[in-house]
Protein backbone atom coordinates (compact mmCIF):
# COMPACT_ATOMS: atom_id res chain seq x y z
CA UNK A 1 0.00 0.00 0.00
CA UNK A 2 1.44 3.36 -1.10
CA UNK A 3 0.46 6.93 -0.17
CA UNK A 4 1.08 9.09 -3.23
CA UNK A 5 0.51 12.69 -4.29
CA UNK A 6 -1.84 12.76 -7.25
CA UNK A 7 0.63 13.99 -9.93
CA UNK A 8 2.60 10.78 -9.36
CA UNK A 9 -0.42 8.49 -9.61
CA UNK A 10 -0.22 7.93 -13.38
CA UNK A 11 3.42 6.87 -13.11
CA UNK A 12 2.65 4.49 -10.25
CA UNK A 13 -0.19 2.88 -12.23
CA UNK A 14 1.57 2.62 -15.59
CA UNK A 15 2.76 -0.99 -15.11
CA UNK A 16 0.10 -3.15 -16.81
CA UNK A 17 1.55 -6.30 -15.30
CA UNK A 18 0.81 -5.02 -11.80
CA UNK A 19 -2.81 -5.10 -10.63
CA UNK A 20 -3.65 -2.23 -8.29
CA UNK A 21 -6.57 -0.30 -6.78
CA UNK A 22 -6.33 3.48 -6.47
CA UNK A 23 -8.34 5.25 -3.75
CA UNK A 24 -8.47 9.02 -4.38
CA UNK A 25 -8.86 10.73 -1.00
CA UNK A 26 -8.33 14.30 -2.23
CA UNK A 27 -6.81 16.16 -5.18
CA UNK A 28 -3.39 15.82 -3.64
CA UNK A 29 -3.59 12.46 -1.91
CA UNK A 30 -4.23 8.93 -3.21
CA UNK A 31 -3.69 5.52 -1.70
CA UNK A 32 -2.63 2.76 -4.10
CA UNK A 33 -2.94 -0.88 -3.05
CA UNK A 34 -0.96 -3.32 -5.19
CA UNK A 35 -2.02 -6.93 -5.75
CA UNK A 36 0.25 -9.90 -6.44
CA UNK A 37 -0.44 -12.98 -8.57
CA UNK A 38 -2.15 -15.92 -6.87
CA UNK A 39 -1.51 -19.37 -8.35
CA UNK A 40 -4.39 -20.91 -6.38
CA UNK A 41 -7.27 -18.93 -7.91
CA UNK A 42 -8.71 -17.88 -11.26
CA UNK A 43 -10.28 -14.44 -11.74
CA UNK A 44 -13.31 -13.83 -13.95
CA UNK A 45 -14.56 -10.30 -14.61
CA UNK A 46 -18.10 -9.15 -15.43
CA UNK A 47 -19.15 -5.80 -16.88
CA UNK A 48 -20.58 -3.78 -19.74
CA UNK A 49 -17.23 -3.29 -21.49
CA UNK A 50 -16.43 -5.47 -24.50
CA UNK A 51 -12.67 -5.24 -23.86
CA UNK A 52 -10.66 -8.45 -23.54
CA UNK A 53 -10.29 -8.31 -19.77
CA UNK A 54 -14.08 -8.67 -19.32
CA UNK A 55 -14.96 -12.37 -19.43
CA UNK A 56 -18.75 -11.99 -19.33
CA UNK A 57 -20.29 -8.94 -21.04
CA UNK A 58 -23.72 -7.95 -19.68
CA UNK A 59 -26.22 -5.39 -20.94
CA UNK A 60 -29.20 -3.74 -19.27
CA UNK A 61 -32.42 -5.75 -19.22
CA UNK A 62 -35.65 -3.88 -19.82
CA UNK A 63 -38.90 -5.22 -18.24
CA UNK A 64 -40.53 -7.55 -20.75
CA UNK A 65 -37.27 -9.10 -21.93
CA UNK A 66 -34.35 -8.11 -24.08
CA UNK A 67 -31.73 -5.43 -23.88
CA UNK A 68 -32.66 -1.80 -23.39
CA UNK A 69 -32.50 -0.16 -26.82
CA UNK A 70 -32.09 3.32 -28.22
CA UNK A 71 -29.73 6.21 -27.51
CA UNK A 72 -31.88 7.38 -24.59
CA UNK A 73 -31.39 4.06 -22.80
CA UNK A 74 -28.32 5.10 -20.80
CA UNK A 75 -26.74 2.07 -19.15
CA UNK A 76 -26.39 1.99 -15.38
CA UNK A 77 -24.15 -1.10 -15.45
CA UNK A 78 -20.49 -0.35 -14.85
CA UNK A 79 -18.02 -1.15 -17.62
CA UNK A 80 -16.01 -3.07 -15.00
CA UNK A 81 -18.78 -4.12 -12.62
CA UNK A 82 -17.37 -6.95 -10.52
CA UNK A 83 -14.88 -9.79 -10.36
CA UNK A 84 -15.22 -13.36 -9.13
CA UNK A 85 -12.27 -15.33 -7.73
CA UNK A 86 -12.59 -19.11 -7.93
CA UNK A 87 -10.35 -21.56 -6.08
CA UNK A 88 -8.59 -24.02 -8.36
CA UNK A 89 -8.92 -26.83 -5.86
CA UNK A 90 -12.08 -28.50 -4.48
CA UNK A 91 -14.60 -27.39 -3.37
CA UNK A 92 -13.83 -24.60 -5.90
CA UNK A 93 -15.11 -21.82 -3.66
CA UNK A 94 -16.13 -18.66 -5.57
CA UNK A 95 -15.94 -15.20 -4.00
CA UNK A 96 -17.34 -11.99 -5.44
CA UNK A 97 -15.84 -8.50 -5.23
CA UNK A 98 -17.15 -5.15 -6.44
CA UNK A 99 -15.34 -3.52 -9.40
CA UNK A 100 -13.15 -5.07 -12.07
CA UNK A 101 -9.68 -4.24 -13.34
CA UNK A 102 -9.47 -2.20 -16.56
CA UNK A 103 -7.12 -2.58 -19.53
CA UNK A 104 -4.28 -1.13 -17.45
CA UNK A 105 -4.94 -3.65 -14.65
CA UNK A 106 -6.21 -0.86 -12.40
CA UNK A 107 -9.35 -0.05 -10.43
CA UNK A 108 -9.97 3.65 -9.74
CA UNK A 109 -12.20 4.88 -6.92
CA UNK A 110 -12.53 8.64 -7.45
CA UNK A 111 -13.10 11.39 -4.92
CA UNK A 112 -16.87 10.94 -4.94
CA UNK A 113 -16.83 7.15 -4.44
CA UNK A 114 -17.55 5.81 -0.95
CA UNK A 115 -14.24 4.72 0.56
CA UNK A 116 -12.73 4.34 4.02
CA UNK A 117 -9.83 3.01 6.04
CA UNK A 118 -10.52 -0.31 7.77
CA UNK A 119 -9.62 -1.02 11.43
CA UNK A 120 -6.53 -2.98 10.32
CA UNK A 121 -5.21 0.02 8.40
CA UNK A 122 -6.16 -1.11 4.89
CA UNK A 123 -8.51 0.59 2.42
CA UNK A 124 -11.94 -0.46 1.15
CA UNK A 125 -14.73 1.14 -0.86
CA UNK A 126 -17.94 0.81 -2.86
CA UNK A 127 -18.59 1.35 -6.56
CA UNK A 128 -20.92 4.12 -7.75
CA UNK A 129 -24.07 2.03 -8.22
CA UNK A 130 -22.92 -0.89 -6.11
CA UNK A 131 -22.87 -4.67 -6.45
CA UNK A 132 -25.70 -6.30 -4.50
CA UNK A 133 -25.89 -10.00 -3.60
CA UNK A 134 -28.72 -12.12 -2.17
CA UNK A 135 -28.13 -15.69 -0.95
CA UNK A 136 -31.34 -17.78 -0.82
CA UNK A 137 -32.25 -19.42 2.46
CA UNK A 138 -32.16 -23.20 2.09
CA UNK A 139 -30.09 -23.13 -1.08
CA UNK A 140 -31.63 -23.17 -4.55
CA UNK A 141 -34.03 -26.07 -4.13
CA UNK A 142 -37.67 -26.91 -3.50
CA UNK A 143 -37.33 -25.56 0.05
CA UNK A 144 -35.75 -22.24 -0.95
CA UNK A 145 -36.86 -18.90 0.42
CA UNK A 146 -35.54 -15.45 -0.58
CA UNK A 147 -32.69 -14.12 1.57
CA UNK A 148 -31.65 -10.56 2.42
CA UNK A 149 -29.98 -8.26 -0.12
CA UNK A 150 -26.49 -7.08 0.87
CA UNK A 151 -23.83 -4.90 -0.75
CA UNK A 152 -20.34 -6.23 -1.53
CA UNK A 153 -17.33 -3.93 -1.23
CA UNK A 154 -14.26 -3.72 -3.46
CA UNK A 155 -12.39 -5.92 -0.97
CA UNK A 156 -15.24 -8.42 -0.69
CA UNK A 157 -16.71 -7.37 2.66
CA UNK A 158 -20.48 -7.54 3.24
CA UNK A 159 -22.54 -4.46 4.17
CA UNK A 160 -26.20 -3.62 4.64
CA UNK A 161 -27.70 -1.59 1.79
CA UNK A 162 -27.11 2.13 1.49
CA UNK A 163 -30.09 4.52 1.81
CA UNK A 164 -30.06 4.81 -1.97
CA UNK A 165 -28.09 3.00 -4.63
CA UNK A 166 -25.32 5.59 -5.09
CA UNK A 167 -25.30 7.25 -1.65
CA UNK A 168 -21.82 8.08 -0.34
CA UNK A 169 -22.55 6.76 3.15
CA UNK A 170 -21.94 2.99 3.37
CA UNK A 171 -24.21 0.60 5.24
CA UNK A 172 -23.23 -1.34 8.34
CA UNK A 173 -20.66 -4.14 8.19
CA UNK A 174 -22.27 -7.59 8.44
CA UNK A 175 -19.53 -9.62 10.11
CA UNK A 176 -21.25 -13.02 10.15
CA UNK A 177 -21.81 -13.12 6.36
CA UNK A 178 -19.29 -13.58 3.56
CA UNK A 179 -18.84 -12.89 -0.14
CA UNK A 180 -18.78 -16.63 -0.96
CA UNK A 181 -21.30 -17.37 -3.72
CA UNK A 182 -23.79 -20.18 -3.13
CA UNK A 183 -26.02 -22.12 -5.49
CA UNK A 184 -28.85 -19.72 -6.32
CA UNK A 185 -27.08 -16.52 -5.26
CA UNK A 186 -28.39 -13.46 -7.11
CA UNK A 187 -25.94 -10.76 -8.21
CA UNK A 188 -27.44 -7.37 -9.08
CA UNK A 189 -25.32 -4.97 -11.16
CA UNK A 190 -27.86 -2.10 -11.31
CA UNK A 191 -29.44 -2.89 -14.66
CA UNK A 192 -29.05 -6.66 -14.83
CA UNK A 193 -29.46 -9.42 -12.25
CA UNK A 194 -27.39 -12.59 -12.59
CA UNK A 195 -28.17 -16.02 -11.11
CA UNK A 196 -25.18 -18.04 -9.86
CA UNK A 197 -25.54 -21.81 -10.25
CA UNK A 198 -23.11 -24.52 -9.14
CA UNK A 199 -22.51 -27.82 -10.96
CA UNK A 200 -23.96 -29.74 -8.00
CA UNK A 201 -27.03 -27.53 -8.00
CA UNK A 202 -27.60 -27.95 -11.74
CA UNK A 203 -27.63 -31.73 -11.29
CA UNK A 204 -30.89 -31.25 -9.37
CA UNK A 205 -32.36 -28.92 -11.98
CA UNK A 206 -34.57 -30.22 -14.77
CA UNK A 207 -32.85 -30.93 -18.06
CA UNK A 208 -34.01 -29.64 -21.43
CA UNK A 209 -35.10 -33.21 -22.21
CA UNK A 210 -37.29 -33.22 -19.11
CA UNK A 211 -38.82 -29.87 -20.06
CA UNK A 212 -39.56 -31.19 -23.54
CA UNK A 213 -41.10 -34.38 -22.06
CA UNK A 214 -43.33 -32.20 -19.87
CA UNK A 215 -44.45 -30.22 -22.92
CA UNK A 216 -45.33 -33.39 -24.80
CA UNK A 217 -47.12 -34.82 -21.76
CA UNK A 218 -49.18 -31.63 -21.36
CA UNK A 219 -50.11 -31.72 -25.05
CA UNK A 220 -50.93 -35.47 -24.87
CA UNK A 221 -53.63 -34.65 -22.29
CA UNK A 222 -55.39 -32.79 -25.12
CA UNK A 223 -56.52 -29.73 -23.14
CA UNK A 224 -59.45 -27.97 -24.76
CA UNK A 225 -60.75 -24.45 -24.98
CA UNK A 226 -63.89 -24.56 -22.77
CA UNK A 227 -65.73 -22.24 -25.15
CA UNK A 228 -64.44 -22.98 -28.65
CA UNK A 229 -63.84 -26.69 -27.82
CA UNK A 230 -60.64 -26.65 -29.90
CA UNK A 231 -57.64 -28.71 -28.78
CA UNK A 232 -54.77 -26.66 -27.35
CA UNK A 233 -51.04 -27.41 -27.58
CA UNK A 234 -47.84 -25.72 -26.41
CA UNK A 235 -45.63 -25.01 -29.46
CA UNK A 236 -42.19 -26.59 -29.82
CA UNK A 237 -39.33 -24.41 -28.55
CA UNK A 238 -37.57 -25.09 -31.86
CA UNK A 239 -40.24 -22.95 -33.49
CA UNK A 240 -39.11 -19.94 -31.52
CA UNK A 241 -41.21 -17.37 -29.74
CA UNK A 242 -42.85 -15.67 -32.70
CA UNK A 243 -46.55 -14.88 -33.01
CA UNK A 244 -48.80 -17.41 -31.18
CA UNK A 245 -50.11 -20.20 -33.41
CA UNK A 246 -53.72 -21.39 -33.72
CA UNK A 247 -53.43 -24.05 -31.01
CA UNK A 248 -51.57 -21.84 -28.52
CA UNK A 249 -53.13 -21.85 -25.04
CA UNK A 250 -54.10 -18.43 -23.64
CA UNK A 251 -54.85 -17.58 -20.04
CA UNK A 252 -56.84 -15.04 -18.07
CA UNK A 253 -54.12 -14.16 -15.58
CA UNK A 254 -56.49 -13.11 -12.77
CA UNK A 255 -58.30 -16.45 -12.55
CA UNK A 256 -56.06 -18.93 -14.39
CA UNK A 257 -58.70 -20.28 -16.79
CA UNK A 258 -56.98 -21.50 -19.98
CA UNK A 259 -58.64 -20.95 -23.36
CA UNK A 260 -57.78 -20.85 -27.02
CA UNK A 261 -57.49 -17.44 -28.63
CA UNK A 262 -60.74 -15.56 -29.21
CA UNK A 263 -61.70 -11.96 -29.80
CA UNK A 264 -64.66 -11.48 -27.49
CA UNK A 265 -64.94 -10.22 -23.93
CA UNK A 266 -62.93 -7.02 -24.50
CA UNK A 267 -63.26 -4.38 -21.81
CA UNK A 268 -61.59 -1.45 -23.56
CA UNK A 269 -62.75 0.96 -20.88
CA UNK A 270 -60.38 -0.93 -18.55
CA UNK A 271 -57.47 -1.01 -21.03
CA UNK A 272 -56.50 -2.61 -24.38
CA UNK A 273 -55.41 -5.92 -22.82
CA UNK A 274 -58.37 -6.31 -20.45
CA UNK A 275 -60.76 -9.20 -21.16
CA UNK A 276 -63.63 -10.78 -19.23
CA UNK A 277 -63.27 -14.52 -18.60
CA UNK A 278 -66.38 -16.25 -19.98
CA UNK A 279 -66.28 -18.84 -17.17
CA UNK A 280 -65.96 -16.73 -14.01
CA UNK A 281 -66.46 -13.16 -15.31
CA UNK A 282 -63.24 -11.83 -13.77
CA UNK A 283 -61.72 -9.02 -15.87
CA UNK A 284 -57.97 -8.90 -16.43
CA UNK A 285 -55.11 -9.39 -18.90
CA UNK A 286 -55.52 -12.20 -21.44
CA UNK A 287 -52.14 -13.45 -22.71
CA UNK A 288 -50.62 -16.44 -24.56
CA UNK A 289 -48.84 -19.09 -22.48
CA UNK A 290 -45.18 -19.88 -23.13
CA UNK A 291 -43.22 -22.66 -21.44
CA UNK A 292 -40.12 -21.32 -19.65
CA UNK A 293 -37.16 -22.93 -21.42
CA UNK A 294 -34.19 -21.92 -19.22
CA UNK A 295 -33.75 -24.98 -17.00
CA UNK A 296 -31.21 -23.27 -14.73
CA UNK A 297 -33.92 -20.92 -13.45
CA UNK A 298 -36.12 -23.79 -12.21
CA UNK A 299 -36.06 -24.97 -8.60
CA UNK A 300 -37.46 -28.42 -9.36
CA UNK A 301 -38.59 -30.61 -12.26
CA UNK A 302 -42.26 -30.27 -11.29
CA UNK A 303 -45.05 -30.14 -13.90
CA UNK A 304 -45.78 -26.80 -15.66
CA UNK A 305 -48.79 -25.83 -13.55
CA UNK A 306 -48.38 -22.10 -12.91
CA UNK A 307 -47.90 -18.97 -15.01
CA UNK A 308 -46.35 -15.62 -14.16
CA UNK A 309 -48.63 -12.61 -14.40
CA UNK A 310 -48.80 -10.73 -16.66
CA UNK A 311 -46.28 -12.25 -19.14
CA UNK A 312 -47.64 -15.83 -19.28
CA UNK A 313 -44.39 -17.79 -18.83
CA UNK A 314 -45.16 -21.26 -17.45
CA UNK A 315 -43.17 -23.32 -14.93
CA UNK A 316 -43.64 -25.49 -11.83
CA UNK A 317 -45.54 -24.24 -8.78
CA UNK A 318 -42.46 -24.02 -6.53
CA UNK A 319 -40.43 -22.19 -9.18
CA UNK A 320 -43.26 -19.72 -9.77
CA UNK A 321 -43.86 -19.04 -6.08
CA UNK A 322 -40.14 -18.59 -5.33
CA UNK A 323 -39.56 -15.98 -8.03
CA UNK A 324 -42.86 -14.23 -7.25
CA UNK A 325 -41.65 -13.79 -3.64
CA UNK A 326 -38.13 -12.63 -4.60
CA UNK A 327 -37.77 -8.83 -4.84
CA UNK A 328 -35.17 -7.71 -7.38
CA UNK A 329 -33.49 -4.30 -7.06
CA UNK A 330 -34.73 -1.60 -9.43
CA UNK A 331 -33.59 2.00 -9.72
CA UNK A 332 -32.11 3.83 -6.75
CA UNK A 333 -33.95 2.08 -3.92
CA UNK A 334 -37.00 0.22 -5.29
CA UNK A 335 -37.57 -3.54 -5.45
CA UNK A 336 -39.89 -5.52 -7.76
CA UNK A 337 -40.49 -9.22 -8.28
CA UNK A 338 -39.93 -10.14 -11.93
CA UNK A 339 -40.40 -13.08 -14.27
CA UNK A 340 -37.01 -14.86 -14.43
CA UNK A 341 -37.57 -15.80 -18.08
CA UNK A 342 -38.26 -12.34 -19.54
CA UNK A 343 -37.70 -9.76 -16.78
CA UNK A 344 -41.30 -8.46 -16.82
CA UNK A 345 -42.41 -7.04 -13.48
CA UNK A 346 -44.99 -9.26 -11.83
CA UNK A 347 -48.47 -7.96 -11.04
CA UNK A 348 -51.47 -9.09 -9.04
CA UNK A 349 -51.70 -10.26 -5.46
CA UNK A 350 -49.41 -13.27 -5.89
CA UNK A 351 -47.45 -12.51 -9.08
CA UNK A 352 -48.40 -15.92 -10.50
CA UNK A 353 -51.55 -17.97 -11.05
CA UNK A 354 -52.43 -21.68 -11.04
CA UNK A 355 -53.48 -22.79 -14.53
CA UNK A 356 -56.95 -24.36 -14.89
CA UNK A 357 -57.10 -26.59 -17.96
CA UNK A 358 -60.23 -28.31 -19.26
CA UNK A 359 -59.71 -31.87 -20.46
CA UNK A 360 -61.29 -33.32 -23.61
CA UNK A 361 -65.04 -34.00 -23.37
CA UNK A 362 -64.55 -37.59 -24.61
Amino acid sequence: MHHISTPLVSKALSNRGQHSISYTLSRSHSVIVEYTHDSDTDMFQIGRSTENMIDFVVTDTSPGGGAAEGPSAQSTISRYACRILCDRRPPYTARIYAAGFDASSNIFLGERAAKWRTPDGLMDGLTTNGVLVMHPAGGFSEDSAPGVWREISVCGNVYTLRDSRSAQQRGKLVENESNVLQDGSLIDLCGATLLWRTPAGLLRAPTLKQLEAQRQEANAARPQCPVGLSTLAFPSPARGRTAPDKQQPWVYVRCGHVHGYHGWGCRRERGPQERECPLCRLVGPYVPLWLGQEAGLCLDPGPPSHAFAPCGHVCSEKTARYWAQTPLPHGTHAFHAACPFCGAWLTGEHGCVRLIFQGPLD
Side-chain angles (χ1 to χ4, degrees), residues 284-304:
Y286 175 62
V287 298
L289 291 174
W290 304 91
L291 288 173
Q293 290 298 317
E294 179 49 69
L297 299 172
C298 301
L299 271 74
D300 68 334

Side-chain angles (χ1 to χ4, degrees), residues 169-224:
Q169 182 62 42
R170 70 181 185 272
K172 295 181 179 179
L173 179 66
V174 184
E175 296 187 9
N176 62 340
E177 296 182 20
S178 78
N179 62 336
V180 173
L181 294 173
Q182 307 166 13
D183 187 42
S185 292
L186 289 174
I187 304 166
D188 188 82
L189 304 179
C190 195
T193 305
L194 313 180
L195 173 65
W196 179 266
R197 296 304 311 268
T198 62
L202 288 174
L203 289 176
R204 299 189 298 267
T207 63
L208 289 176
K209 283 186 177 180
Q210 285 176 309
L211 293 179
E212 173 60 15
Q214 289 178 352
R215 183 188 75 87
Q216 295 182 8
E217 186 177 345
N219 290 347
R222 294 171 55 217
Q224 288 193 337

Side-chain angles (χ1 to χ4, degrees), residues 39-351:
S39 59
D40 295 324
T41 60
D42 287 302
M43 182 174 69
F44 300 91
Q45 300 207 137
I46 301 172
R48 178 169 49 88
S49 173
T50 56
E51 296 172 270
N52 287 340
M53 81 291 305
I54 297 298
D55 301 284
F56 300 97
V57 179
V58 292
T59 55
D60 299 63
T61 302
S62 58
E69 296 179 356
S72 62
Q74 179 110 15
S75 177
T76 52
I77 300 174
S78 170
R79 289 180 301 159
Y80 318 106
C82 68
R83 60 197 193 280
I84 295 174
L85 266 63
C86 300
D87 288 348
R88 290 181 172 178
R89 297 183 178 86
Y92 308 109
T93 302
R95 296 175 175 84
I96 186 168
Y97 302 80
F101 293 98
D102 62 16
S104 300
S105 302
N106 299 315
I107 293 173
F108 291 93
L109 290 182
E111 264 189 272
R112 295 184 179 181
K115 68 189 83 65
W116 59 92
R117 194 179 301 278
T118 61
D120 52 5
L122 301 177
M123 296 296 297
D124 202 354
L126 304 174
T127 54
T128 302
N129 289 333
V131 174
L132 309 186
V133 171
M134 188 272 280
H135 305 302
F140 199 70
S141 65
E142 298 179 22
D143 302 320
S144 290
V148 179
W149 283 98
R150 303 295 195 196
E151 181 161 10
I152 304 298
S153 73
V154 171
C155 293
N157 293 307
V158 182
Y159 290 84
T160 59
L161 301 187
R162 291 179 264 184
D163 290 338
S164 66
R165 194 76 191 232
S166 56
Q168 288 194 316
Q169 182 62 42
R170 70 181 185 272
K172 295 181 179 179
L173 179 66
V174 184
E175 296 187 9
N176 62 340
E177 296 182 20
S178 78
N179 62 336
V180 173
L181 294 173
Q182 307 166 13
D183 187 42
S185 292
L186 289 174
I187 304 166
D188 188 82
L189 304 179
C190 195
T193 305
L194 313 180
L195 173 65
W196 179 266
R197 296 304 311 268
T198 62
L202 288 174
L203 289 176
R204 299 189 298 267
T207 63
L208 289 176
K209 283 186 177 180
Q210 285 176 309
L211 293 179
E212 173 60 15
Q214 289 178 352
R215 183 188 75 87
Q216 295 182 8
E217 186 177 345
N219 290 347
R222 294 171 55 217
Q224 288 193 337
C225 174
V227 177
L229 301 181
S230 57
T231 300
L232 308 176
F234 287 104
S236 167
R239 176 177 165 271
R241 183 170 172 169
T242 55
D245 64 17
K246 293 180 179 179
Q247 288 189 294
Q248 185 103 19
W250 288 61
V251 67
Y252 291 89
V253 297
R254 282 196 64 196
C255 59
H257 285 117
V258 179
H259 291 249
Y261 179 76
H262 54 74
W264 63 79
C266 294
R267 291 291 180 267
R268 299 203 180 277
E269 71 277 6
R270 300 274 295 271
Q273 299 294 327
E274 301 291 296
R275 299 283 191 94
E276 181 182 88
C277 175
L279 296 184
C280 67
R281 301 300 183 186
L282 275 177
V283 176
Y286 175 62
V287 298
L289 291 174
W290 304 91
L291 288 173
Q293 290 298 317
E294 179 49 69
L297 299 172
C298 301
L299 271 74
D300 68 334
S305 60
H306 285 62
F308 289 108
C311 60
H313 276 107
V314 181
C315 58
S316 71
E317 177 181 4
K318 291 187 176 179
T319 297
R321 294 199 185 282
Y322 174 78
W323 288 108
Q325 295 169 6
T326 301
L328 302 181
H330 170 71
T332 56
H333 51 259
F335 288 82
H336 290 285
C339 171
F341 300 104
C342 70
W345 294 349
L346 302 185
T347 59
E349 183 180 354
H350 303 292

